[in-house]
Amino acid sequence: MASSSSAETKLATAKTVLSTAASVAATAMLVRSIAQDFLPHEIQHYFFSGISSFFSRFSSQLTMVIEEFDGLVNNQIYEAAEIYLGSKVSPSTHRIKVSKPEKENNFTITMESNQEIVDVFNGIKFNWILVSRQVESNFHNPRDLNSTLRSEVRSFELSFHKKQRDLVLNSYLPHIVKQSKSMKQEKKTLKIFTVDYQNMYCNIAEAWIPTNLDHPATFETLALDSDIKSFILHDLERFIKRKEYYRKVGKAWKRGYLLYGPPGTGKSSLIAAMANHLNFDIYDLELTELNNNSELRRLLVAMANRSILVVEDIDCTIEFQDRMAESRALHPHGSQEKQIQDKDFQAASGKVPFDA
């Protein structure tokens, strides 16, 4: 009898708990429905945030908010997460955003608002949600004086167990930033940049004018001695892998090549093959158009990392002097001073330093 009574008590308790939970859920749904119907859109955000904050006190989950902008500048973590999560879209995702810039070859896939993606890192699950809300701005549509333009405020919400906080900050987020850089580099459309000398002192960001690089040259199709080709490929791969070494020894991560020869011998094709192999943009520079070092410095600062700078016809920018003639003019009858030895110069058609 005692056992039967205990079982009935537990059953009644379970029914009470389920009934209470159902009532709370129904009440929450009712409150949410009323709030959405009667509260202004701007107040809804703060209302639901308050409710979420209240219940989060009893939860072991931690939610990290990653906003699109940090003040007036872009948030690097948001941009990295947007690229990274685009590759994590699963069949269970109901909505995604697809875009393609005019001069790009690849499509860009990103999350849609209020969609959730689950990512696994080191065996731990992380939940991502893209939150978007509309806020009124101070700008008005000039075509409709009665309307107020609304701007969209977007942020990612990353949820995980509180005990994983250090893992997220020290490992997971750096992993996302690193992966996004690699993904962006792989998908980018190669460009060749030329200088717009008229805009050099107006807006330095517009000094380089991009055009898609459609050169088909690759090391597989390049007509080049096999030993030289293997040497260049090995040297390029070695350079790419030694970025950390350059940093440790305090040297700039750069590599230079001097190409010389008459027109039509394949200098431009070799440069294009290098760009296609490394997936680096090309910056084409004519030193004869520059007036001083300050202009050169401005252009170099405006270049992007992981790129190739091609200095065209560098021999035409240097006034080679006849040192023997100068020596004879200064010492017509000879002297005890050392004679300046004549040297052979090879005209350089292009110096190709890699800026990474």
Side-chain angles (χ1 to χ4, degrees):
M1 293 292 293
S3 176
S4 176
S5 176
S6 176
E8 291 178 357
T9 302
K10 291 182 179 180
L11 181 60
T13 303
K15 289 182 178 180
T16 303
V17 171
L18 291 175
S19 177
T20 303
S23 299
V24 171
T27 303
M29 293 179 63
L30 178 62
V31 171
R32 183 182 182 89
S33 177
I34 294 175
Q36 290 178 340
D37 291 338
F38 296 100
L39 290 180
H41 187 83
E42 294 77 7
I43 299 179
Q44 289 182 26
H45 171 72
Y46 298 102
F47 178 75
F48 291 125
S49 296
I51 294 178
S52 176
S53 176
F54 173 77
F55 285 105
S56 65
R57 298 178 183 179
F58 307 97
S59 173
S60 61
Q61 291 291 103
L62 175 64
T63 298
M64 187 175 292
V65 179
I66 304 172
E67 296 185 340
E68 184 176 7
F69 295 97
D70 182 13
L72 298 177
V73 298
N74 294 335
N75 187 346
Q76 182 187 10
I77 301 178
Y78 180 93
E79 294 180 344
E82 188 174 41
I83 297 173
Y84 175 80
L85 294 174
S87 66
K88 300 295 181 178
V89 174
S90 65
S92 61
T93 304
H94 300 292
R95 293 170 62 87
I96 59 174
K97 291 177 64 176
V98 180
S99 62
K100 179 183 176 299
E102 181 179 356
K103 295 185 178 181
E104 297 292 329
N105 296 330
N106 299 311
F107 292 100
T108 301
I109 299 176
T110 56
M111 288 179 62
E112 176 61 298
S113 300
N114 302 319
Q115 293 296 301
E116 181 177 357
I117 287 181
V118 178
D119 185 34
V120 178
F121 177 75
N122 286 352
I124 302 171
K125 291 184 178 181
F126 296 94
N127 295 320
W128 290 85
I129 297 179
L130 177 59
V131 179
S132 175
R133 59 188 177 90
Q134 300 289 333
V135 296
E136 290 189 358
S137 67
N138 296 325
F139 300 97
H140 296 277
N141 187 346
R143 298 182 180 180
D144 185 0
L145 298 179
N146 294 322
S147 69
T148 301
L149 294 180
R150 291 180 179 270
S151 60
E152 186 180 33
V153 177
R154 299 184 300 175
S155 62
F156 283 112
E157 291 189 357
L158 170 60
S159 300
F160 50 90
H161 197 282
K162 291 180 179 180
K163 66 180 181 180
Q164 306 298 343
R165 178 179 177 274
D166 291 339
L167 174 68
V168 170
L169 293 176
N170 299 327
S171 300
Y172 184 48
L173 291 181
H175 165 75
I176 290 176
V177 172
K178 182 178 180 180
Q179 288 294 109
S180 67
K181 288 182 178 179
S182 299
M183 295 166 61
K184 187 176 181 180
Q185 180 71 15
E186 291 174 1
K187 292 183 178 180
K188 78 173 186 179
T189 300
L190 291 184
K191 308 283 185 182
I192 180 170
F193 293 81
T194 54
V195 180
D196 182 359
Y197 296 96
Q198 295 181 350
N199 282 334
M200 281 187 56
Y201 290 96
C202 297
N203 185 353
I204 190 61
E206 298 178 357
W208 291 101
I209 306 300
T211 304
N212 284 359
L213 178 65
D214 296 323
H215 202 294
T218 64
F219 279 98
E220 287 75 17
T221 62
L222 202 62
L224 188 65
D225 181 84
S226 58
D227 291 338
I228 297 177
K229 186 185 300 185
S230 298
F231 171 80
I232 295 175
L233 281 171
H234 174 73
D235 190 67
L236 290 175
E237 295 297 335
R238 184 169 178 264
F239 165 71
I240 292 298
K241 295 177 181 178
R242 301 184 75 192
K243 181 178 180 179
E244 187 63 22
Y245 169 77
Y246 277 74
R247 187 189 67 81
K248 287 182 178 179
V249 299
K251 294 179 62 177
W253 191 39
K254 300 177 185 293
R255 187 67 172 161
Y257 294 89
L258 191 63
L259 309 180
Y260 62 91
T265 54
K267 298 185 297 296
S268 297
S269 295
L270 176 58
I271 295 171
M274 290 180 176
N276 287 326
H277 179 72
L278 298 173
N279 207 26
F280 280 14
D281 291 329
I282 295 177
Y283 288 78
D284 192 13
L285 179 63
E286 289 278 359
L287 287 181
T288 54
E289 299 293 334
L290 301 180
N291 298 316
N292 49 56
N293 289 338
S294 177
E295 292 183 352
L296 175 60
R297 189 177 299 110
R298 287 174 62 85
L299 290 175
L300 295 180
V301 169
M303 287 178 55
N305 291 332
R306 304 182 72 85
S307 58
I308 299 176
L309 173 64
V310 179
V311 182
E312 296 280 1
D313 298 326
I314 194 172
D315 55 313
C316 298
T317 66
I318 302 175
E319 184 179 351
F320 292 107
Q321 299 178 356
D322 187 346
R323 296 188 177 183
M324 291 298 293
E326 289 183 358
S327 177
R328 287 192 295 269
L330 293 174
H331 310 285
H333 304 293
S335 68
Q336 299 298 323
E337 298 182 7
K338 293 182 179 180
Q339 296 292 329
I340 301 177
Q341 300 297 322
D342 192 11
K343 295 183 179 180
D344 294 330
F345 291 94
Q346 291 178 317
S349 295
K351 186 178 182 182
V352 190
F354 291 89
D355 186 7

